């Protein structure tokens, strides 16, 4: 009967306080307190939805309370400084320090396990260089009418709607101050993106927000009207995102505010649907023709696409279409499966899509093998917060890096993981004005600016220590990884890198290319016939 102890005690104490009330006026407080507990316990016994509450009246609510604050307890008191879940305290602290422009040096020694498997480092030089500037840039769309000189570290796609108005303002003002770009996300260009005047990369998703007809199809006229804004520097077609590739989305009608309706070009009172796939094209060739058309409609601005790698033959089909048609994107952004999102099914976040390192290598290798790498720039995104993250990613083949959650930390995000319930405690990922209006735009804009600048300064120092002058000089031979307690390999030795033009001479000795390259088609995303046959049989 101990399960009912709290309930029984509340009943008895309520009766005792009632009896004492005529003689002891303060007993009325006891009647209120213990009476409320007695009523709660009675309701627990009578309701039928929760067996736990029926078996443990009153006591069950203590469990719910502890469960509710469990993530905070673990984050503040239990997790180690280097436990990445999804970002470690060490990673977050580094961003906070650089965003606040305070000392970011570390005392005493590293907390990293240098003899642990997967520990990585950058080899230094005995002839280090003095690198004068940290403003590292890459030219994108050199053959277009309006090429763009992009920073090697920019703000990744996050839409207005996922982020608050003041968060968008602060990000864009920070980007303007630092001369780097701010990706709009597929939610289109809101008034808050335009307000500060920072460089924008306009992401076009399957919902064609900001450039759609009333039936949800793509509108060339509306696209051209927005894309020709001087603030829009590049256009990016989103095929998929790392956190939930192959998954569409629905913003319920109740959340489609007047601002979101105007920004996205969708009616109020109706669900705002992002389909899982595009309607403007259905083949690899169609994708490239669509990208080329966007370049033309924008007045010659660089145009490309973003994707998370999934079925290899689909990416290979796009690559073959480039080779066969000569229609090239100006850039490709590779989004790793470790990317973040405001809300996604757990299975998608944990188990769908290729992580960024392998995805980036596949895209880079394919373009090298087709002799196209020098004509197409590659960006990469996937849990990047430090200069070493940037260096490693560029060593694997990227021309520049994007970060989303890193810049959210710069805004003040504390990783409360409440992005999905509109209760963000820092006003970053919420549409509740009582929360986001407390986010001070001038202060947070400076933090965004300082985080990006101080991270690039750290990258400059890393490069100088390695005897390099620009991150473009980084290669896989510069990054070392421990693969066992007694073995170390460079990334150049761990991964198979194709030679220029190798795919033009035949299928290379590389597992993925050997398995899927020959069967990939430029006119279809469909799987090869042999794989279709396997789907109909368990006799594999």
């Amino acid at each position: 009967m101990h399960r009912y102890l709290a309930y029984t005690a509340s009943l008895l104490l309520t009766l005792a306080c009632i009896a004492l009330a005529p003689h002891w006026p303060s007993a009325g407080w006891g009647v209120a307190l213990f009476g409320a507990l007695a009523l709660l316990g009675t309701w627990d016994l009578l309701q039928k939805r929760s067996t736990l509450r029926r078996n443990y009246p009153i006591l069950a609510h203590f469990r719910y309370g502890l469960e509710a604050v469990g993530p905070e307890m673990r984050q503040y008191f239990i997790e180690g400084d280097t436990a990445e879940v999804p970002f470690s305290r060490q990673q977050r602290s580094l961003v906070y320090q650089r965003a606040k422009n305070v000392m970011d040096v570390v005392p005493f020694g590293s907390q990293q396990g240098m003899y642990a498997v997967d520990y990585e480092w950058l080899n230094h030089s005995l002839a280090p260089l003095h690198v004068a500037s940290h403003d590292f840039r890459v030219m994108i769309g050199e053959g277009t009418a309006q090429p763009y000189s992009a920073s090697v570290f920019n703000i990744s796609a996050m839409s207005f709607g996922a982020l608050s108005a003041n968060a968008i303002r602060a990000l864009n003002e920070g980007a303007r101050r630092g001369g780097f770009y701010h990706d709009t996300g597929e939610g289109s260009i809101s008034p808050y993106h335009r307000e500060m005047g920072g460089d924008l990369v306009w992401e076009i998703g399957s919902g064609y927000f900001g450039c759609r007809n009333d039936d949800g199809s793509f509108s060339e006229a509306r696209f051209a009207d927005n894309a020709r804004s001087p603030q829009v520097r590049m256009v990016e077609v989103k095929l998929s995102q790392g956190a939930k590739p192959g998954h569409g989305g629905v913003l319920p009608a109740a959340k489609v505010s007047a601002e979101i309706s105007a920004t996205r070009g969708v009616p109020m009172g109706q669900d705002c649907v992002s389909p899982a796939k595009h309607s403007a094209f259905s083949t690899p060739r169609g994708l490239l023709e669509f990208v080329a058309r966007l370049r033309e409609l924008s007045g010659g601005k660089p145009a490309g696409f973003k994707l998370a790698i999934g079925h290899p033959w689909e990416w290979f089909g796009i690559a073959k279409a480039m080779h066969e048609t000569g229609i090239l994107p100006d850039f490709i952004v590779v989004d790793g499966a470790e990317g973040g999102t405001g809300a996604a099914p757990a299975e998608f976040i944990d188990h769908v899509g290729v992580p960024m390192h392998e995805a980036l290598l596949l895209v880079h290798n394919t373009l090298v093998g087709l002799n196209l790498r020098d004509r197409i720039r590659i960006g990469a995104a996937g849990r990047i917060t430090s200069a070493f993250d940037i260096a490693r990613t560029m060593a694997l083949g990227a021309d520049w890096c994007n970060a989303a959650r890193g810049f959210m930390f710069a805004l003040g995000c504390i990783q409360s993981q409440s992005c999905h319930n509109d209760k963000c405690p820092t006003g970053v990922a919420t549409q509740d004005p009582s929360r986001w209006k407390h986010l001070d735009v001038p202060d947070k804009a400076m933090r965004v600016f300082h985080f990006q600048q101080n991270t690039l300064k750290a990258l400059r120092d890393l490069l100088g220590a390695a005897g390099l002058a620009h991150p473009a000089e980084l290669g896989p031979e510069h990054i070392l990884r421990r693969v066992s307690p007694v073995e170390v390999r460079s990334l150049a030795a761990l991964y198979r890198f194709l030679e220029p033009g190798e795919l033009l001479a035949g299928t290379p000795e590389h597992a993925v290319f050997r398995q899927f390259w020959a069967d990939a088609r430029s006119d279809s995303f469909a799987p090869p016939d042999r794989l279709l046959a396997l789907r109909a049989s368990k006799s594999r």
Side-chain angles (χ1 to χ4, degrees):
M1 294 298 293
H2 65 281
R3 293 184 286 117
Y4 301 100
L5 181 61
Y7 177 53
T8 304
S10 66
L11 289 173
L12 293 175
L13 288 169
T14 300
L15 293 174
C17 289
I18 291 173
L20 290 172
H23 312 288
W24 184 32
S26 296
W29 291 104
V31 173
L33 173 61
F34 298 118
L37 289 173
L39 288 173
L40 176 63
T42 302
W43 173 244
D44 286 342
L45 287 170
L46 295 176
Q47 59 82 38
K48 297 181 179 180
R49 295 187 63 184
S50 171
T51 304
L52 184 67
R53 286 166 57 195
R54 296 185 81 182
N55 282 332
Y56 293 87
I58 300 178
L59 291 174
H61 294 276
F62 288 95
R63 178 187 183 277
Y64 297 146
L66 290 172
E67 189 176 56
V69 299
E72 289 80 5
M73 297 290 287
R74 287 191 294 274
Q75 182 179 133
Y76 295 130
F77 302 111
I78 299 172
E79 291 170 3
D81 286 345
T82 60
E84 297 184 14
V85 281
F87 288 87
S88 70
R89 184 180 287 109
Q90 191 176 75
Q91 290 171 314
R92 299 195 306 272
S93 294
L94 182 65
V95 176
Y96 297 148
Q97 289 162 350
R98 288 180 172 165
K100 294 175 184 178
N101 205 29
V102 299
M103 186 184 301
D104 62 355
V105 297
V106 177
F108 204 68
S110 175
Q111 296 186 49
Q112 301 294 324
M114 295 187 178
Y115 293 93
V117 173
D118 293 337
Y119 173 72
E120 293 178 325
W121 68 91
L122 174 75
N123 269 356
H124 70 283
S125 171
L126 292 179
L129 296 180
H130 171 71
V131 182
S133 173
H134 62 277
D135 187 23
F136 302 117
R137 296 196 165 267
V138 55
M139 186 64 71
I140 306 173
E142 289 180 284
T144 63
Q146 301 185 58
Y148 180 56
S149 177
S151 170
V152 299
F153 191 37
N154 303 281
I155 301 171
S156 196
M158 294 181 284
S159 301
F160 168 61
L163 299 191
S164 68
N166 276 5
I168 295 293
R169 286 181 172 121
L171 288 171
N172 196 254
E173 173 61 9
R176 186 192 67 79
R177 287 176 177 269
F180 54 100
Y181 78 65
H182 178 192
D183 193 310
T184 65
E186 67 175 307
S188 191
I189 310 169
S190 72
Y192 310 110
H193 287 98
R194 301 180 190 274
E195 192 174 318
M196 301 301 178
D199 289 353
L200 294 175
V201 170
W202 184 15
E203 184 176 89
I204 309 296
S206 56
Y208 305 116
F209 300 131
C211 56
R212 59 187 268 140
N213 295 309
D214 293 341
D215 63 358
S217 60
F218 176 70
S219 167
E220 290 195 351
R222 291 176 180 173
F223 170 80
D225 186 51
N226 273 324
R228 289 178 181 265
S229 164
Q231 197 178 350
V232 175
R233 306 305 298 268
M234 301 197 298
V235 179
E236 174 184 284
V237 179
K238 173 191 160 184
L239 302 180
S240 52
Q241 72 179 87
K244 49 180 178 179
H247 190 279
V250 178
L251 187 66
K255 293 188 176 182
V256 181
S257 64
E259 288 177 311
I260 290 176
S261 172
T263 296
R264 300 193 178 192
V266 297
M268 294 183 66
Q270 297 180 23
D271 290 344
C272 177
V273 179
S274 296
K277 64 179 182 178
H278 282 261
S279 61
F281 56 87
S282 59
T283 67
R285 287 175 179 250
L287 163 65
L288 298 181
E289 290 166 357
F290 184 62
V291 168
R293 182 61 176 153
L294 296 185
R295 185 189 296 126
E296 179 184 352
L297 290 169
S298 68
K301 294 178 179 178
F305 58 85
K306 178 179 88 172
L307 83 165
I309 294 293
H311 295 313
W313 63 82
E314 295 175 349
W315 157 244
F316 289 161
I318 297 172
K320 284 189 171 181
M322 295 180 201
H323 173 64
E324 293 169 7
T325 66
I327 304 173
L328 304 181
D330 297 300
F331 65 90
I332 298 170
V333 174
V334 179
D335 205 24
E338 60 268 55
T341 183
E347 293 83 356
F348 277 77
I349 281 183
D350 291 337
H351 300 293
V352 179
V354 178
M356 189 254 287
H357 294 178
E358 287 73 20
L360 171 60
L361 276 168
L362 187 66
V363 172
H364 172 74
N365 263 334
T366 307
L367 297 181
V368 169
L370 291 173
N371 273 338
L372 295 175
R373 183 63 185 87
D374 292 339
R375 300 170 63 189
I376 300 172
R377 302 300 186 196
I378 299 178
R383 206 153 63 180
I384 291 171
T385 56
S386 73
F388 181 76
D389 295 335
I390 297 173
R392 185 212 296 116
T393 304
M394 297 186 72
L396 285 171
D399 291 300
W400 82 90
C401 296
N402 293 337
R405 288 167 293 178
F407 281 100
M408 288 176 67
F409 291 140
L411 289 172
C413 168
I414 60 171
Q415 195 172 273
S416 68
Q417 300 185 61
S418 54
C419 314
H420 61 300
N421 60 21
D422 210 33
K423 295 181 180 179
C424 172
T426 57
V428 175
T430 178
Q431 295 303 300
D432 181 350
S434 69
R435 294 173 180 268
W436 63 256
K437 284 187 176 180
H438 292 289
L439 190 154
D440 186 75
V441 173
D443 176 66
K444 297 303 186 286
M446 287 304 297
R447 293 191 183 195
V448 168
F449 166 71
H450 285 312
F451 167 58
Q452 196 262 1
Q453 292 289 294
N454 286 328
T455 301
L456 289 184
K457 289 175 183 177
L459 178 63
R460 174 199 62 195
D461 295 343
L462 280 181
L463 293 171
L468 307 175
H470 192 280
E473 298 176 9
L474 283 161
E477 68 278 7
H478 291 111
I479 307 295
L480 283 294
R481 180 183 298 168
R482 184 174 294 284
V483 297
S484 84
V486 294
E487 294 179 286
V488 170
R489 298 284 187 275
S490 72
L491 298 188
L494 281 174
Y495 295 107
R496 165 78 157 90
F497 287 85
L498 269 60
E499 296 295 328
E502 190 171 348
L503 282 171
L504 302 177
T507 304
E509 284 301 312
H510 183 294
V512 180
F513 288 96
R514 191 170 60 247
Q515 187 78 6
F516 299 111
W517 177 255
D519 292 330
R521 296 168 49 186
S522 64
D523 63 345
S524 175
F525 287 115
D529 291 341
R530 59 186 177 82
L531 291 182
L532 285 174
L534 287 176
R535 292 180 182 183
S537 170
K538 287 294 182 183
S539 302
R540 287 179 166 86

